[in-house]
mmCIF file of all heavy atoms in Angstrom:
data_model
loop_
_atom_site.group_PDB
_atom_site.id
_atom_site.type_symbol
_atom_site.label_atom_id
_atom_site.label_comp_id
_atom_site.label_asym_id
_atom_site.label_seq_id
_atom_site.Cartn_x
_atom_site.Cartn_y
_atom_site.Cartn_z
ATOM 1 N N ILE I 21 117.776 119.013 97.553
ATOM 2 C CA ILE I 21 116.428 119.264 97.539
ATOM 3 C C ILE I 21 115.819 119.310 99.063
ATOM 4 O O ILE I 21 115.060 120.187 99.299
ATOM 5 C CB ILE I 21 115.618 118.191 96.745
ATOM 6 C CG1 ILE I 21 116.081 118.276 95.233
ATOM 7 C CG2 ILE I 21 114.151 118.326 96.872
ATOM 8 C CD1 ILE I 21 115.515 117.291 94.416
ATOM 9 N N THR I 22 116.312 118.411 99.867
ATOM 10 C CA THR I 22 115.837 118.380 101.292
ATOM 11 C C THR I 22 116.215 119.575 101.961
ATOM 12 O O THR I 22 115.325 120.366 102.645
ATOM 13 C CB THR I 22 116.403 117.162 102.026
ATOM 14 O OG1 THR I 22 115.966 115.877 101.319
ATOM 15 C CG2 THR I 22 115.889 117.176 103.455
ATOM 16 N N ALA I 23 117.442 120.089 101.709
ATOM 17 C CA ALA I 23 117.897 121.323 102.363
ATOM 18 C C ALA I 23 117.177 122.587 101.865
ATOM 19 O O ALA I 23 116.837 123.421 102.627
ATOM 20 C CB ALA I 23 119.441 121.548 102.120
ATOM 21 N N ALA I 24 116.813 122.537 100.491
ATOM 22 C CA ALA I 24 116.084 123.661 100.058
ATOM 23 C C ALA I 24 114.662 123.731 100.612
ATOM 24 O O ALA I 24 114.094 124.778 100.876
ATOM 25 C CB ALA I 24 115.920 123.424 98.460
ATOM 26 N N LEU I 25 114.034 122.494 100.765
ATOM 27 C CA LEU I 25 112.716 122.539 101.397
ATOM 28 C C LEU I 25 112.604 123.028 102.829
ATOM 29 O O LEU I 25 111.731 123.690 103.295
ATOM 30 C CB LEU I 25 112.046 121.163 101.234
ATOM 31 C CG LEU I 25 111.646 120.726 99.940
ATOM 32 C CD1 LEU I 25 111.250 119.302 99.830
ATOM 33 C CD2 LEU I 25 110.550 121.577 99.310
ATOM 34 N N VAL I 26 113.707 122.572 103.595
ATOM 35 C CA VAL I 26 113.895 122.907 104.961
ATOM 36 C C VAL I 26 114.094 124.529 105.043
ATOM 37 O O VAL I 26 113.395 125.176 105.792
ATOM 38 C CB VAL I 26 114.991 122.201 105.653
ATOM 39 C CG1 VAL I 26 115.311 122.863 107.090
ATOM 40 C CG2 VAL I 26 114.625 120.729 105.858
ATOM 41 N N PHE I 27 114.945 125.012 104.153
ATOM 42 C CA PHE I 27 115.079 126.465 104.156
ATOM 43 C C PHE I 27 113.814 127.157 103.784
ATOM 44 O O PHE I 27 113.407 128.144 104.466
ATOM 45 C CB PHE I 27 116.190 126.827 103.177
ATOM 46 C CG PHE I 27 116.295 128.348 103.038
ATOM 47 C CD1 PHE I 27 117.113 129.123 103.939
ATOM 48 C CD2 PHE I 27 115.680 129.067 101.975
ATOM 49 C CE1 PHE I 27 117.175 130.524 103.724
ATOM 50 C CE2 PHE I 27 115.783 130.401 101.882
ATOM 51 C CZ PHE I 27 116.518 131.149 102.818
ATOM 52 N N TYR I 28 113.046 126.621 102.721
ATOM 53 C CA TYR I 28 111.850 127.309 102.392
ATOM 54 C C TYR I 28 110.791 127.272 103.510
ATOM 55 O O TYR I 28 110.168 128.336 103.717
ATOM 56 C CB TYR I 28 111.214 126.393 101.208
ATOM 57 C CG TYR I 28 110.059 126.902 100.553
ATOM 58 C CD1 TYR I 28 110.064 127.931 99.616
ATOM 59 C CD2 TYR I 28 108.774 126.351 100.818
ATOM 60 C CE1 TYR I 28 108.917 128.373 99.023
ATOM 61 C CE2 TYR I 28 107.561 126.760 100.350
ATOM 62 C CZ TYR I 28 107.695 127.715 99.403
ATOM 63 O OH TYR I 28 106.464 128.161 98.745
ATOM 64 N N ALA I 29 110.773 126.213 104.301
ATOM 65 C CA ALA I 29 109.868 126.188 105.374
ATOM 66 C C ALA I 29 110.134 127.266 106.460
ATOM 67 O O ALA I 29 109.334 127.981 107.031
ATOM 68 C CB ALA I 29 109.882 124.788 105.977
ATOM 69 N N PHE I 30 111.537 127.339 106.805
ATOM 70 C CA PHE I 30 111.935 128.221 107.796
ATOM 71 C C PHE I 30 111.705 129.734 107.216
ATOM 72 O O PHE I 30 111.310 130.613 108.074
ATOM 73 C CB PHE I 30 113.489 128.218 108.177
ATOM 74 C CG PHE I 30 113.636 127.055 109.125
ATOM 75 C CD1 PHE I 30 114.069 125.841 108.907
ATOM 76 C CD2 PHE I 30 113.446 127.306 110.517
ATOM 77 C CE1 PHE I 30 114.394 124.794 109.789
ATOM 78 C CE2 PHE I 30 113.645 126.448 111.476
ATOM 79 C CZ PHE I 30 114.084 125.189 111.237
ATOM 80 N N GLU I 31 111.932 129.895 105.983
ATOM 81 C CA GLU I 31 111.732 131.252 105.321
ATOM 82 C C GLU I 31 110.305 131.717 105.357
ATOM 83 O O GLU I 31 109.978 132.845 105.652
ATOM 84 C CB GLU I 31 112.485 131.438 104.066
ATOM 85 C CG GLU I 31 112.445 132.790 103.399
ATOM 86 C CD GLU I 31 113.332 133.828 104.117
ATOM 87 O OE1 GLU I 31 114.019 133.395 105.062
ATOM 88 O OE2 GLU I 31 113.312 134.886 103.670
ATOM 89 N N LYS I 32 109.526 130.741 105.097
ATOM 90 C CA LYS I 32 108.097 131.044 105.187
ATOM 91 C C LYS I 32 107.605 131.324 106.566
ATOM 92 O O LYS I 32 106.827 132.326 106.602
ATOM 93 C CB LYS I 32 107.312 129.635 104.694
ATOM 94 C CG LYS I 32 105.811 129.930 104.340
ATOM 95 C CD LYS I 32 105.217 128.679 103.657
ATOM 96 C CE LYS I 32 105.089 127.555 104.517
ATOM 97 N NZ LYS I 32 104.069 127.790 105.627
ATOM 98 N N ARG I 33 108.120 130.740 107.525
ATOM 99 C CA ARG I 33 107.804 130.895 108.867
ATOM 100 C C ARG I 33 108.313 132.375 109.302
ATOM 101 O O ARG I 33 107.606 133.065 109.974
ATOM 102 C CB ARG I 33 108.253 129.830 109.746
ATOM 103 C CG ARG I 33 107.943 130.080 111.258
ATOM 104 C CD ARG I 33 108.449 128.925 112.057
ATOM 105 N NE ARG I 33 108.046 129.000 113.401
ATOM 106 C CZ ARG I 33 108.286 128.252 114.425
ATOM 107 N NH1 ARG I 33 109.002 127.019 114.080
ATOM 108 N NH2 ARG I 33 108.089 128.420 115.613
ATOM 109 N N ARG I 34 109.560 132.547 108.921
ATOM 110 C CA ARG I 34 110.226 133.859 109.279
ATOM 111 C C ARG I 34 109.394 135.109 108.666
ATOM 112 O O ARG I 34 109.367 136.074 109.304
ATOM 113 C CB ARG I 34 111.653 133.781 108.771
ATOM 114 C CG ARG I 34 112.518 135.042 109.228
ATOM 115 C CD ARG I 34 113.839 135.087 108.603
ATOM 116 N NE ARG I 34 113.715 135.532 107.100
ATOM 117 C CZ ARG I 34 113.716 136.829 106.766
ATOM 118 N NH1 ARG I 34 113.911 137.733 107.703
ATOM 119 N NH2 ARG I 34 113.716 137.080 105.546
ATOM 120 N N ARG I 35 108.809 134.901 107.509
ATOM 121 C CA ARG I 35 108.147 135.957 106.864
ATOM 122 C C ARG I 35 106.602 135.942 107.341
ATOM 123 O O ARG I 35 105.899 136.878 107.026
ATOM 124 C CB ARG I 35 108.109 135.845 105.404
ATOM 125 C CG ARG I 35 109.565 136.035 104.706
ATOM 126 C CD ARG I 35 109.576 135.615 103.267
ATOM 127 N NE ARG I 35 110.894 135.772 102.636
ATOM 128 C CZ ARG I 35 111.186 136.749 101.848
ATOM 129 N NH1 ARG I 35 110.232 137.669 101.501
ATOM 130 N NH2 ARG I 35 112.353 136.879 101.265
ATOM 131 N N GLY I 36 106.293 135.150 108.164
ATOM 132 C CA GLY I 36 104.889 135.106 108.713
ATOM 133 C C GLY I 36 103.940 134.668 107.825
ATOM 134 O O GLY I 36 102.662 135.136 107.791
ATOM 135 N N LEU I 37 104.282 133.814 106.765
ATOM 136 C CA LEU I 37 103.327 133.362 105.652
ATOM 137 C C LEU I 37 102.860 132.125 106.108
ATOM 138 O O LEU I 37 103.500 131.135 106.241
ATOM 139 C CB LEU I 37 104.177 133.300 104.369
ATOM 140 C CG LEU I 37 104.827 134.640 103.859
ATOM 141 C CD1 LEU I 37 105.626 134.325 102.677
ATOM 142 C CD2 LEU I 37 103.709 135.650 103.653
ATOM 143 N N THR I 38 101.452 131.999 106.205
ATOM 144 C CA THR I 38 100.800 130.737 106.709
ATOM 145 C C THR I 38 100.010 130.098 105.593
ATOM 146 O O THR I 38 99.333 129.038 105.954
ATOM 147 C CB THR I 38 99.966 131.028 107.924
ATOM 148 O OG1 THR I 38 99.164 132.195 107.619
ATOM 149 C CG2 THR I 38 100.812 131.559 109.094
ATOM 150 N N ASP I 39 99.850 130.726 104.401
ATOM 151 C CA ASP I 39 98.946 130.202 103.360
ATOM 152 C C ASP I 39 99.445 128.827 102.967
ATOM 153 O O ASP I 39 100.620 128.688 102.448
ATOM 154 C CB ASP I 39 99.086 131.025 102.117
ATOM 155 C CG ASP I 39 97.947 130.847 101.173
ATOM 156 O OD1 ASP I 39 97.552 129.717 101.128
ATOM 157 O OD2 ASP I 39 97.442 131.742 100.586
ATOM 158 N N PRO I 40 98.638 127.688 103.151
ATOM 159 C CA PRO I 40 99.139 126.325 102.725
ATOM 160 C C PRO I 40 99.251 126.271 101.302
ATOM 161 O O PRO I 40 100.091 125.237 100.905
ATOM 162 C CB PRO I 40 97.965 125.533 103.177
ATOM 163 C CG PRO I 40 96.725 126.395 103.283
ATOM 164 C CD PRO I 40 97.316 127.813 103.661
ATOM 165 N N ARG I 41 98.888 127.143 100.509
ATOM 166 C CA ARG I 41 98.987 127.021 99.007
ATOM 167 C C ARG I 41 100.503 127.171 98.653
ATOM 168 O O ARG I 41 100.989 126.791 97.585
ATOM 169 C CB ARG I 41 98.351 128.170 98.299
ATOM 170 C CG ARG I 41 96.746 127.909 98.390
ATOM 171 C CD ARG I 41 95.986 128.917 97.544
ATOM 172 N NE ARG I 41 96.211 130.278 98.279
ATOM 173 C CZ ARG I 41 95.664 131.380 97.809
ATOM 174 N NH1 ARG I 41 94.996 131.411 96.735
ATOM 175 N NH2 ARG I 41 95.908 132.559 98.492
ATOM 176 N N LEU I 42 101.279 127.790 99.551
ATOM 177 C CA LEU I 42 102.749 127.920 99.345
ATOM 178 C C LEU I 42 103.451 126.626 99.171
ATOM 179 O O LEU I 42 104.367 126.430 98.327
ATOM 180 C CB LEU I 42 103.456 128.685 100.400
ATOM 181 C CG LEU I 42 103.091 130.235 100.266
ATOM 182 C CD1 LEU I 42 103.528 130.912 101.536
ATOM 183 C CD2 LEU I 42 103.812 130.798 99.143
ATOM 184 N N TRP I 43 103.009 125.572 99.909
ATOM 185 C CA TRP I 43 103.571 124.220 99.681
ATOM 186 C C TRP I 43 103.120 123.480 98.335
ATOM 187 O O TRP I 43 103.897 122.851 97.771
ATOM 188 C CB TRP I 43 103.097 123.290 100.969
ATOM 189 C CG TRP I 43 103.963 123.697 102.086
ATOM 190 C CD1 TRP I 43 103.539 124.202 103.368
ATOM 191 C CD2 TRP I 43 105.350 123.399 102.263
ATOM 192 N NE1 TRP I 43 104.535 124.338 104.152
ATOM 193 C CE2 TRP I 43 105.792 123.840 103.573
ATOM 194 C CE3 TRP I 43 106.270 122.915 101.478
ATOM 195 C CZ2 TRP I 43 107.008 123.872 104.121
ATOM 196 C CZ3 TRP I 43 107.710 122.829 101.959
ATOM 197 C CH2 TRP I 43 107.903 123.328 103.225
ATOM 198 N N THR I 44 101.887 123.900 97.931
ATOM 199 C CA THR I 44 101.500 123.462 96.626
ATOM 200 C C THR I 44 102.295 123.997 95.565
ATOM 201 O O THR I 44 102.771 123.323 94.730
ATOM 202 C CB THR I 44 100.019 123.951 96.352
ATOM 203 O OG1 THR I 44 99.079 123.406 97.378
ATOM 204 C CG2 THR I 44 99.585 123.373 95.005
ATOM 205 N N LEU I 45 102.723 125.246 95.733
ATOM 206 C CA LEU I 45 103.617 125.865 94.709
ATOM 207 C C LEU I 45 104.959 125.200 94.815
ATOM 208 O O LEU I 45 105.629 124.932 93.750
ATOM 209 C CB LEU I 45 103.843 127.418 94.911
ATOM 210 C CG LEU I 45 102.527 128.168 94.818
ATOM 211 C CD1 LEU I 45 102.876 129.675 94.984
ATOM 212 C CD2 LEU I 45 101.983 128.029 93.279
ATOM 213 N N ALA I 46 105.496 124.912 95.943
ATOM 214 C CA ALA I 46 106.777 124.170 95.979
ATOM 215 C C ALA I 46 106.736 122.725 95.306
ATOM 216 O O ALA I 46 107.678 122.307 94.701
ATOM 217 C CB ALA I 46 107.138 123.968 97.537
ATOM 218 N N GLY I 47 105.531 122.062 95.456
ATOM 219 C CA GLY I 47 105.322 120.855 94.850
ATOM 220 C C GLY I 47 105.407 121.018 93.315
ATOM 221 O O GLY I 47 106.004 120.178 92.579
ATOM 222 N N PHE I 48 104.757 122.107 92.852
ATOM 223 C CA PHE I 48 104.792 122.335 91.317
ATOM 224 C C PHE I 48 106.180 122.623 90.804
ATOM 225 O O PHE I 48 106.645 122.086 89.801
ATOM 226 C CB PHE I 48 103.876 123.506 91.008
ATOM 227 C CG PHE I 48 102.404 123.218 90.745
ATOM 228 C CD1 PHE I 48 101.467 123.238 91.714
ATOM 229 C CD2 PHE I 48 102.066 122.912 89.420
ATOM 230 C CE1 PHE I 48 100.154 122.808 91.428
ATOM 231 C CE2 PHE I 48 100.769 122.579 89.105
ATOM 232 C CZ PHE I 48 99.780 122.548 90.135
ATOM 233 N N ALA I 49 106.902 123.234 91.672
ATOM 234 C CA ALA I 49 108.320 123.612 91.295
ATOM 235 C C ALA I 49 109.196 122.303 91.171
ATOM 236 O O ALA I 49 109.849 122.151 90.208
ATOM 237 C CB ALA I 49 108.924 124.634 92.231
ATOM 238 N N LEU I 50 109.106 121.449 92.125
ATOM 239 C CA LEU I 50 109.798 120.203 92.291
ATOM 240 C C LEU I 50 109.435 119.326 91.078
ATOM 241 O O LEU I 50 110.235 118.846 90.269
ATOM 242 C CB LEU I 50 109.616 119.490 93.530
ATOM 243 C CG LEU I 50 110.228 120.100 94.723
ATOM 244 C CD1 LEU I 50 109.767 119.263 95.968
ATOM 245 C CD2 LEU I 50 111.802 119.962 94.536
ATOM 246 N N ALA I 51 108.081 119.194 90.740
ATOM 247 C CA ALA I 51 107.570 118.218 89.828
ATOM 248 C C ALA I 51 107.978 118.788 88.328
ATOM 249 O O ALA I 51 108.557 117.941 87.539
ATOM 250 C CB ALA I 51 106.119 118.157 89.839
ATOM 251 N N PHE I 52 107.788 119.941 88.054
ATOM 252 C CA PHE I 52 108.075 120.565 86.831
ATOM 253 C C PHE I 52 109.614 120.681 86.670
ATOM 254 O O PHE I 52 110.022 120.584 85.475
ATOM 255 C CB PHE I 52 107.381 121.852 86.467
ATOM 256 C CG PHE I 52 105.926 121.632 86.176
ATOM 257 C CD1 PHE I 52 104.953 121.322 87.063
ATOM 258 C CD2 PHE I 52 105.658 121.887 84.793
ATOM 259 C CE1 PHE I 52 103.603 121.188 86.513
ATOM 260 C CE2 PHE I 52 104.274 121.582 84.376
ATOM 261 C CZ PHE I 52 103.279 121.278 85.238
ATOM 262 N N GLY I 53 110.288 120.937 87.555
ATOM 263 C CA GLY I 53 111.779 120.969 87.579
ATOM 264 C C GLY I 53 112.381 119.571 87.176
ATOM 265 O O GLY I 53 113.264 119.484 86.382
ATOM 266 N N ALA I 54 111.752 118.437 87.755
ATOM 267 C CA ALA I 54 112.194 117.233 87.445
ATOM 268 C C ALA I 54 111.989 116.837 86.003
ATOM 269 O O ALA I 54 112.814 116.239 85.286
ATOM 270 C CB ALA I 54 111.619 116.152 88.435
ATOM 271 N N ILE I 55 110.776 117.242 85.589
ATOM 272 C CA ILE I 55 110.305 116.946 84.145
ATOM 273 C C ILE I 55 111.217 117.773 83.181
ATOM 274 O O ILE I 55 111.798 117.294 82.088
ATOM 275 C CB ILE I 55 108.926 117.328 83.859
ATOM 276 C CG1 ILE I 55 108.008 116.304 84.709
ATOM 277 C CG2 ILE I 55 108.561 117.126 82.477
ATOM 278 C CD1 ILE I 55 106.477 116.699 84.826
ATOM 279 N N GLY I 56 111.427 119.090 83.528
ATOM 280 C CA GLY I 56 112.152 119.980 82.647
ATOM 281 C C GLY I 56 113.638 119.429 82.539
ATOM 282 O O GLY I 56 114.205 119.619 81.457
ATOM 283 N N SER I 57 114.192 118.841 83.601
ATOM 284 C CA SER I 57 115.530 118.565 83.536
ATOM 285 C C SER I 57 115.852 117.409 82.574
ATOM 286 O O SER I 57 116.957 117.066 82.280
ATOM 287 C CB SER I 57 116.032 118.157 84.943
ATOM 288 O OG SER I 57 115.496 117.035 85.354
ATOM 289 N N ARG I 58 114.792 116.697 82.092
ATOM 290 C CA ARG I 58 115.047 115.585 81.284
ATOM 291 C C ARG I 58 114.574 115.796 79.878
ATOM 292 O O ARG I 58 114.527 114.897 79.066
ATOM 293 C CB ARG I 58 114.232 114.453 81.916
ATOM 294 C CG ARG I 58 114.757 113.945 83.152
ATOM 295 C CD ARG I 58 113.873 113.046 84.048
ATOM 296 N NE ARG I 58 114.424 112.392 85.117
ATOM 297 C CZ ARG I 58 114.837 112.921 86.178
ATOM 298 N NH1 ARG I 58 114.554 114.200 86.470
ATOM 299 N NH2 ARG I 58 115.384 112.252 87.217
ATOM 300 N N VAL I 59 114.305 116.976 79.543
ATOM 301 C CA VAL I 59 113.859 117.411 78.187
ATOM 302 C C VAL I 59 114.932 117.275 77.123
ATOM 303 O O VAL I 59 114.821 117.374 75.923
ATOM 304 C CB VAL I 59 113.186 118.715 78.033
ATOM 305 C CG1 VAL I 59 111.875 118.805 78.856
ATOM 306 C CG2 VAL I 59 114.151 119.830 78.431
ATOM 307 N N THR I 60 116.262 117.074 77.741
ATOM 308 C CA THR I 60 117.310 116.921 76.723
ATOM 309 C C THR I 60 117.526 115.499 76.143
ATOM 310 O O THR I 60 118.396 115.184 75.441
ATOM 311 C CB THR I 60 118.731 117.192 77.514
ATOM 312 O OG1 THR I 60 118.680 116.460 78.624
ATOM 313 C CG2 THR I 60 118.610 118.791 77.844
ATOM 314 N N TRP I 61 116.478 114.619 76.483
ATOM 315 C CA TRP I 61 116.545 113.311 75.911
ATOM 316 C C TRP I 61 116.705 113.321 74.459
ATOM 317 O O TRP I 61 115.987 114.037 73.681
ATOM 318 C CB TRP I 61 115.282 112.616 76.400
ATOM 319 C CG TRP I 61 115.079 111.135 75.772
ATOM 320 C CD1 TRP I 61 116.054 110.231 75.830
ATOM 321 C CD2 TRP I 61 113.906 110.603 75.238
ATOM 322 N NE1 TRP I 61 115.562 109.001 75.394
ATOM 323 C CE2 TRP I 61 114.332 109.231 74.832
ATOM 324 C CE3 TRP I 61 112.689 111.029 74.873
ATOM 325 C CZ2 TRP I 61 113.383 108.438 74.334
ATOM 326 C CZ3 TRP I 61 111.766 110.245 74.402
ATOM 327 C CH2 TRP I 61 112.163 108.835 74.103
#
């Protein structure tokens, strides 16, 4: 997960994307991914 976030940060910078909402979306992805991974309970 750490490597993915570091890559995401570099890729966002490489593409010249400065919108802070992109980090909000990354947070949504992590949170819902963690929840979704446990629906097999």
Side-chain angles (χ1 to χ4, degrees):
I21 292 171
T22 300
L25 290 174
V26 170
F27 174 84
Y28 183 80
F30 276 103
E31 185 66 4
K32 188 170 75 72
R33 181 176 180 180
R34 188 186 73 88
R35 293 172 180 252
L37 301 174
T38 58
D39 194 326
R41 293 178 296 176
L42 286 168
W43 283 114
T44 302
L45 294 178
F48 269 92
L50 287 175
F52 278 79
I55 295 171
S57 68
R58 288 161 173 80
V59 299
T60 56
W61 176 46

